[in-house]
Amino acid sequence: MPPIILAIESSCDETSAAIVKNGKVLNNIIATQFEHQNYGGVIPELASRTHQRNIVPVVSKALDSCKINIKQIDAIAFTQGPGLLGSLLVGISFAKGLSLALGKPLIEINHLQAHILAHFIDDPKPEFPFLCLIVSGGHTQIVKVDNYFEMDIIGETLDDAVGEAFDKAAKLLGFAYPGGPLIDKYAKTGDPFKFKFPKTSVRDFDLSFSGIKTAFLYFLKREIVNDPNFIENNLHDICASIQYTLIQMLFDRLIAISHKTKVHNIAIAGGVAANSYLRGQLVIIAKKESWNIYIPKLEYCTDNAAMVAMAAHFKYLENKFSNLKATAFPRLKYWTV
Ligand code: KG4
Ligand code: ZN
């Protein structure tokens, strides 16, 4: 019988459930938490509580929407990390309860691997090896992917994630959290070369975004002294310029790593992969560098359970099951499963 797997994602502020049947993702139910908007970031305790409220309706909706009875499920997959401890525990405990009740096995999934394996939900699927730029609110990494389970981090941020830099810059401009998409929106009609920000350089293939965040703060303070309405008067150009600098830093590293590894299959993943400038630039650079590029659908860029389901399918085929002792790993990093 083709395996049917229920997958749960609860690592940050999205409660999500999806069903995968014989490798085909049937749905992807996501409840986004808007409770954090006024706090400038995700409040961990609030996130856990909201997951508690959302998880039953989200899972029920996933089962109902594809008319699958819970008894037909062959395995239950959950995100084990990285992520917020309290948020992860909600998904894991729910999965364990279900596993006990149904007598079906558990599959634990690394959230970052899931972001990468989201590329196998739809066609065209990347060929191995490929490089995946994972850019989200919590992570910024360039990973060499040799197969479904073997992945090596070649470069990563030493401090803030690029999504965090977007959100912090957005907060300074007065946007609600997460402000990354608003920077993208206003930047569309701005001049990316109007204002210059220093790109922090660090060793080898790594990245750093904390310096640019501080530089942006002092830039705004300086300009506001001369013009109290500086932000309002220059919003589009400011957004375009900071966005240009952040995305350019990513591409500098991605190009260098592609040259070094001689890998020309390039994929992007994570919430910032939804950024329209990044997506557009990727197409342009790909032509110059002779890259084959893989850009996921927007709903598979931000956190979602479809990607967890896809990763779980591959683990199911290899009999890579977890057990009832499974727990959360907020700082989970390793790649070989
Ligand atoms: O992967 P994700 O949903 O959650 C995790 O952080 O794991 O990524 C969320 C991040 C936020 O920082 C958000 O501002 C950023 O992705 N983001 C964007 C855009 N859409 C989402 N940043 C820039 N431009 C966008 N269009
Ligand atoms: Zn994520």
Side-chain angles (χ1 to χ4, degrees):
M1 281 289 279
I4 302 178
I5 304 167
L6 164 68
I8 293 161
E9 155 64 32
S10 68
S11 64
C12 190
D13 57 344
E14 255 98 17
T15 319
S16 182
I19 311 278
V20 60
K21 183 177 180 182
N22 203 23
K24 189 174 177 331
V25 171
L26 302 184
N27 55 20
N28 185 32
I29 310 298
I30 304 171
T32 300
Q33 303 182 0
F34 296 103
E35 286 81 350
H36 310 281
Q37 268 179 347
N38 298 327
Y39 296 99
V42 176
I43 307 294
E45 195 177 318
L46 196 54
S48 319
R49 262 189 250 221
T50 314
H51 283 304
Q52 285 282 18
R53 261 199 309 275
N54 288 346
I55 193 143
V56 172
V58 163
V59 169
S60 302
K61 200 167 167 192
L63 291 164
D64 293 348
S65 75
C66 59
K67 301 198 171 33
I68 291 210
N69 185 293
I70 200 155
K71 296 206 173 105
Q72 292 174 264
I73 298 293
D74 295 301
I76 302 119
F78 62 86
T79 302
Q80 63 172 162
L84 299 171
L85 179 64
S87 290
L88 291 164
L89 287 176
V90 175
I92 295 176
S93 305
F94 186 89
K96 279 191 188 180
L98 214 51
S99 162
L100 268 176
L102 299 172
K104 294 295 158 87
L106 288 164
I107 302 176
E108 58 195 17
I109 298 294
N110 178 318
H111 178 81
L112 297 169
Q113 281 190 331
H115 269 302
I116 292 171
L117 297 176
H119 284 279
F120 294 88
I121 297 174
D122 290 328
D123 288 329
K125 299 176 172 61
E127 268 179 41
F128 298 116
F130 65 91
L131 294 177
C132 189
L133 173 71
I134 306 184
V135 276
S136 74
H139 306 277
T140 301
Q141 299 177 333
I142 298 168
V143 179
K144 181 164 169 277
V145 185
D146 289 313
N147 59 48
Y148 298 127
F149 305 113
E150 281 169 45
M151 309 176 182
D152 277 321
I153 300 169
I154 312 287
E156 64 183 330
T157 181
L158 301 179
D159 41 57
D160 293 351
V162 65
E164 208 175 332
F166 263 100
D167 295 337
K168 285 180 177 165
K171 190 177 174 195
L172 293 172
L173 295 173
F175 298 149
Y177 176 84
L182 285 173
I183 293 200
D184 186 357
K185 182 179 151 194
Y186 287 105
K188 284 193 173 107
T189 48
D191 174 2
F193 307 110
K194 179 85 179 274
F195 304 109
K196 297 260 176 295
F197 301 104
K199 292 185 200 157
T200 320
S201 78
V202 285
R203 68 185 151 77
D204 298 332
F205 299 125
D206 289 332
L207 287 145
S208 163
F209 290 101
S210 61
I212 188 164
K213 175 190 70 192
T214 314
F216 189 65
L217 168 70
Y218 285 108
F219 159 78
L220 289 179
K221 278 190 171 168
R222 219 171 36 240
E223 296 294 339
I224 287 169
V225 170
N226 300 327
D227 172 8
N229 297 321
F230 176 74
I231 293 180
E232 295 76 17
N233 293 339
N234 297 276
L235 188 60
H236 296 253
D237 293 338
I238 300 171
C239 287
S241 301
I242 189 74
Q243 173 176 271
Y244 168 80
T245 312
L246 294 171
I247 302 295
Q248 215 51 49
M249 284 168 72
L250 296 173
F251 279 122
D252 285 352
R253 286 298 190 250
L254 189 56
I255 293 168
I257 290 176
S258 166
H259 287 174
K260 161 93 181 163
T261 57
K262 301 197 176 7
V263 175
H264 293 98
N265 296 323
I266 309 287
I268 56 173
V272 183
N275 182 271
S276 61
Y277 181 71
L278 184 150
R279 290 164 97 95
Q281 280 300 107
L282 183 62
V283 173
I284 294 167
I285 294 171
K287 279 207 185 100
K288 228 166 81 195
E289 297 286 330
S290 300
W291 286 350
N292 304 313
I293 52 169
Y294 303 91
I295 305 179
K297 262 202 231 161
L298 285 181
E299 72 167 298
Y300 301 142
C301 285
T302 45
D303 288 349
N304 67 89
M307 65 185 194
V308 178
M310 199 65 242
H313 172 75
F314 295 125
K315 287 187 92 171
Y316 185 98
L317 296 183
E318 300 273 324
N319 288 318
K320 291 177 187 282
F321 294 109
S322 178
N323 59 54
L324 289 168
K325 286 195 182 143
T327 188
F329 289 95
R331 295 185 175 275
L332 183 66
K333 228 178 168 179
Y334 56 84
W335 295 95
T336 307
V337 196

